[in-house]
């Protein structure tokens, strides 16, 4: 499949002039010659509908950019993304000049020459970001995007239920997490059936189960893959990987709702919102979800409990990238827009959030590491933990082939392990064998 895609790109290179080394030089030269202030229009595509609350929040930032750059007009375009949709869009030659792209999709398409190498234009921004966030935009030592906004996953908990159970603070370790979750798993109405659970977890065969389990892998000290010479091999079939998956399975069996194997991230949020569970692992939207729905209880946040190897929080970053084929004045304007959206001013505007019924709610966190003095974070310290999580990342897509491994192997095997259909040992062996086959085939 990969070879076929590369072949299609090669053909389009010759016929449409979208790609190729010669064109890269031409594009670079055109860029240098187009620094005038002549009017130029570009399009920016985001991952949400342009008229949604989030789209309107982004539009506010674009309006500020246009004020500062009156010769540049930016049309905001909404979308539902995925790597194949993006590839089709880019190959058609109709892609917007600036695209908000999830790092895992950027990593998947960069080897296929889907995005412009922006190393020269953006390398000066590197020190504004934590190493792992910046590295999510890098493939083969080339920079293909700028970290714009994103999230980390942390512990979100119901302070009211904690107080009722006599738990004075959030758990800091695996041992405390298990003990607190057991204490919060109770029959509240005396009918002999448990109706409140300690912890909401994902068990369904979906992408959500992968990043959630991967955090426990990081906390246990397990690697998803390791370099073996010039290649990668699956590494999670290890004592550390076994410990992580066994602990996750234990939490599901003893402290989570009985229908956990049918729950994705949205189902986990619903259980927490309805006080079926007392804790969940979510991004900043886990807090604002309770605010939006009337503050039925006081919500708290805390760092991910540490495992044998320490803490590990899932980090996912949205990049701002330029698809292959953008040139001249439009290229220069696109670079200016990306740099502005990564500025401290623009990042602070994003943190204000989306406006719903007259109130503003953050939906992601700024990625720059120099925003600790933001007034919003001083007023709402519960969000600081999500920014601190950038310091101890759990990266769920370590190599381009991992997306295929997830789709064809990983999600299914994790679901089978959690549901008890196969053992932890059997599951890890399947992931190792089939995952290594996929890595070999992807070369």
């Amino acid at each position: 499949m990969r070879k076929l895609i590369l072949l299609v790109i090669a053909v389009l290179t010759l016929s449409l002039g979208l790609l190729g080394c010669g064109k890269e030089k031409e594009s670079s030269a055109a860029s240098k010659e187009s620094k005038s202030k002549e009017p130029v229009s570009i399009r920016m595509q985001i991952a949400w509908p342009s008229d949604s609350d989030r789209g309107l929040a982004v539009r506010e930032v674009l309006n500020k950019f246009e004020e500062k750059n009156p010769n540049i007009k930016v049309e905001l375009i909404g979308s539902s993304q995925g790597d194949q949709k993006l590839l089709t869009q880019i190959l058609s030659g109709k892609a917007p000049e600036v695209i908000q792209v999830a790092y895992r999709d950027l990593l998947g398409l960069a080897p296929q020459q889907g995005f412009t190498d922006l190393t020269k234009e953006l390398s000066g921004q590197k020190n504004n970001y934590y190493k792992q966030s910046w590295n999510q935009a890098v493939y083969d030592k080339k920079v293909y995007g700028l970290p714009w906004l994103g999230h980390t996953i942390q512990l979100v908990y119901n302070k009211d239920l904690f107080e009722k159970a006599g738990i004075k603070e959030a758990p800091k370790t695996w041992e405390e997490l298990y003990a607190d979750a057991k204490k919060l798993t109770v029959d509240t109405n005396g009918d002999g059936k448990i109706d409140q659970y300690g912890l909401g977890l994902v068990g369904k065969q979906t992408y959500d189960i992968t990043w959630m389990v991967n955090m426990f892998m990081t906390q246990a000290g397990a690697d998803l893959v390791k370099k073996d010479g010039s290649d990668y091999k699956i590494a999670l079939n290890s004592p550390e990987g076994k410990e992580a998956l066994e602990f996750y399975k234990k939490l599901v069996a003893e402290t989570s709702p009985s229908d956990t194997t049918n729950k994705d991230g949205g189902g986990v949020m619903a259980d927490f919102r309805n006080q079926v569970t007392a804790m969940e692992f979510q991004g900043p939207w886990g807090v604002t979800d309770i605010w939006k729905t009337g503050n039925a209880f006081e919500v708290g946040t805390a760092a991910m409990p540490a495992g044998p190897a320490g803490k590990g929080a899932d980090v996912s970053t949205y990049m701002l990238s330029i698809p292959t084929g953008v040139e001249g004045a439009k290229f220069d304007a696109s670079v200016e827009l990306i740099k502005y959206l990564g500025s401290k001013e623009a990042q602070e505007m994003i943190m204000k959030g989306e406006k719903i019924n007259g109130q503003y709610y953050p939906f992601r966190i700024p990625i720059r590491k120099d925003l600790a003095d933001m007034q919003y974070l001083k007023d709402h310290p519960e969000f600081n933990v999500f920014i601190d999580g950038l310091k101890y990342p759990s990266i769920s897509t370590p190599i381009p082939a991992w997306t295929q491994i997830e789709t064809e192997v990983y999600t299914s095997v994790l679901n089978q392990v959690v549901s008890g259909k196969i053992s932890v040992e059997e599951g890890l062996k399947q992931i190792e064998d089939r995952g290594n086959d996929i890595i070999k085939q992807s070369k």
Side-chain angles (χ1 to χ4, degrees):
M1 177 65 182
R2 179 179 169 129
K3 291 180 179 178
L4 176 61
I5 292 172
L6 289 173
L7 178 61
V8 172
I9 293 176
V11 172
L12 288 173
T13 298
L14 296 175
S15 61
L16 300 178
L18 290 176
L19 311 172
C21 296
K23 202 63 176 179
E24 287 176 5
K25 293 179 181 178
E26 181 182 329
S27 174
S28 177
S31 175
K32 292 178 181 178
E33 296 171 1
S34 58
K35 297 293 185 181
S36 69
K37 291 297 182 180
E38 292 297 318
V40 59
S41 297
I42 58 175
R43 298 160 295 163
M44 176 181 172
Q45 179 173 291
I46 58 175
W48 309 288
S50 59
D51 59 353
S52 67
D53 295 308
R54 295 180 182 186
L56 295 175
V58 175
R59 182 68 256 180
E60 282 192 40
V61 186
L62 297 183
N63 290 344
K64 179 63 69 171
F65 170 77
E66 290 180 342
E67 286 178 19
K68 294 175 175 290
N69 300 271
N71 65 308
I72 302 175
K73 297 300 177 186
V74 185
E75 178 185 357
L76 184 63
I77 300 173
S79 76
S80 174
Q81 292 188 339
D83 59 348
Q84 291 307 307
K85 286 184 178 181
L86 286 170
L87 180 61
T88 300
Q89 199 174 35
I90 292 167
L91 290 177
S92 72
K94 299 177 181 179
E97 286 74 21
V98 176
I99 299 178
Q100 172 190 346
V101 56
Y103 87 92
R104 54 191 282 111
D105 291 331
L106 181 68
L107 184 63
L109 293 179
Q112 301 176 39
Q113 304 176 50
F115 292 100
T116 301
D117 175 7
L118 298 173
T119 306
K120 179 181 177 181
E121 289 77 14
L122 298 182
S123 288
Q125 307 288 321
K126 182 177 181 178
N127 291 336
N128 292 329
Y129 304 91
Y130 292 103
K131 179 180 178 181
Q132 289 286 9
S133 296
W134 180 261
N135 286 346
Q136 288 180 325
V138 177
Y139 174 77
D140 196 24
K141 298 181 180 180
K142 296 178 181 178
V143 180
Y144 287 95
L146 184 76
W148 179 36
L149 49 86
H151 68 259
T152 68
I153 299 294
Q154 299 289 2
L155 181 68
V156 179
Y157 65 99
N158 185 321
K159 287 187 174 183
D160 295 356
L161 294 182
F162 266 54
E163 183 177 356
K164 189 181 295 185
I167 302 173
K168 296 183 179 180
E169 60 180 5
K172 295 183 175 63
T173 65
W174 276 13
E175 293 76 17
E176 291 178 3
L177 174 66
Y178 174 72
D180 289 347
K182 286 286 285 186
K183 193 171 185 179
L184 290 160
T185 301
V186 294
D187 169 16
T188 62
N189 58 14
D191 67 354
K193 297 179 182 179
I194 294 175
D195 48 28
Q196 176 189 295
Y197 297 85
L199 180 62
L201 294 171
V202 175
K204 190 175 181 179
Q205 185 177 325
T206 177
Y207 170 62
D208 289 335
I209 195 175
T210 65
W211 60 255
M212 192 169 283
V213 168
N214 289 346
M215 292 193 298
F216 286 83
M217 292 287 181
T218 300
Q219 294 157 18
D223 294 309
L224 299 183
V225 297
K226 279 187 177 179
K227 203 76 179 287
D228 182 26
S230 60
D231 299 322
Y232 283 93
K233 286 190 175 180
I234 299 295
L236 51 70
N237 188 13
S238 63
E240 296 83 4
K242 180 181 178 182
E243 183 177 18
L245 198 46
E246 285 180 339
F247 183 59
Y248 190 87
K249 184 176 180 180
K250 179 180 179 180
L251 290 172
V252 170
E254 299 183 26
T255 69
S256 299
S258 57
D259 61 347
T260 290
T261 53
N262 296 322
K263 294 284 174 62
D264 59 9
V268 171
M269 283 185 69
D271 278 347
F272 183 72
R273 183 189 315 126
N274 296 323
Q275 303 194 66
V276 174
T277 56
M279 294 182 283
E280 63 175 350
F281 299 124
Q282 294 289 357
W285 55 84
V287 177
T288 57
D289 183 61
I290 306 307
W291 292 358
K292 293 175 187 177
T293 51
N295 291 301
F297 55 87
E298 187 176 0
V299 61
T301 62
M304 285 292 303
K311 292 182 288 189
D314 179 70
V315 173
S316 186
T317 307
Y318 274 120
M319 303 295 172
L320 293 173
S321 299
I322 300 176
T324 304
V326 179
E327 300 178 350
K330 287 184 179 292
F331 177 82
D332 292 335
S334 299
V335 172
E336 287 304 309
L337 174 60
I338 287 174
K339 287 182 177 179
Y340 176 74
L341 291 175
S343 70
K344 194 170 182 180
E345 177 183 75
Q347 291 271 284
E348 288 178 348
M349 290 182 71
I350 282 292
M351 194 61 200
K352 185 175 73 171
E354 56 187 329
K355 189 175 183 180
I356 302 175
N357 296 326
Q359 298 294 320
Y360 284 96
Y361 301 100
F363 54 93
R364 289 296 188 275
I365 60 170
I367 296 297
R368 288 177 65 110
K369 63 182 181 181
D370 59 351
L371 295 172
D373 60 344
M374 280 180 58
Q375 187 59 47
Y376 190 93
L377 295 178
K378 294 176 182 178
D379 295 338
H380 302 280
E382 59 267 42
F383 289 103
N384 282 309
V385 68
F386 298 105
I387 294 177
D388 289 342
L390 295 168
K391 301 173 185 176
Y392 44 88
S394 170
I395 305 300
S396 286
T397 307
I399 58 175
W402 192 261
T403 301
Q404 185 180 352
I405 293 169
E406 281 180 350
T407 302
E408 298 183 12
V409 184
Y410 200 37
T411 56
S412 173
V413 169
L414 291 179
N415 170 263
Q416 291 177 67
V417 169
V418 169
S419 63
K421 293 179 180 177
I422 61 176
S423 67
V424 168
E425 293 83 358
E426 186 179 354
L428 291 173
K429 187 68 169 65
Q430 284 189 30
I431 295 166
E432 180 181 38
D433 292 344
R434 295 170 63 189
N436 282 333
D437 286 342
I438 290 172
I439 292 174
K440 289 178 183 177
Q441 293 167 10
S442 67
K443 294 176 184 177

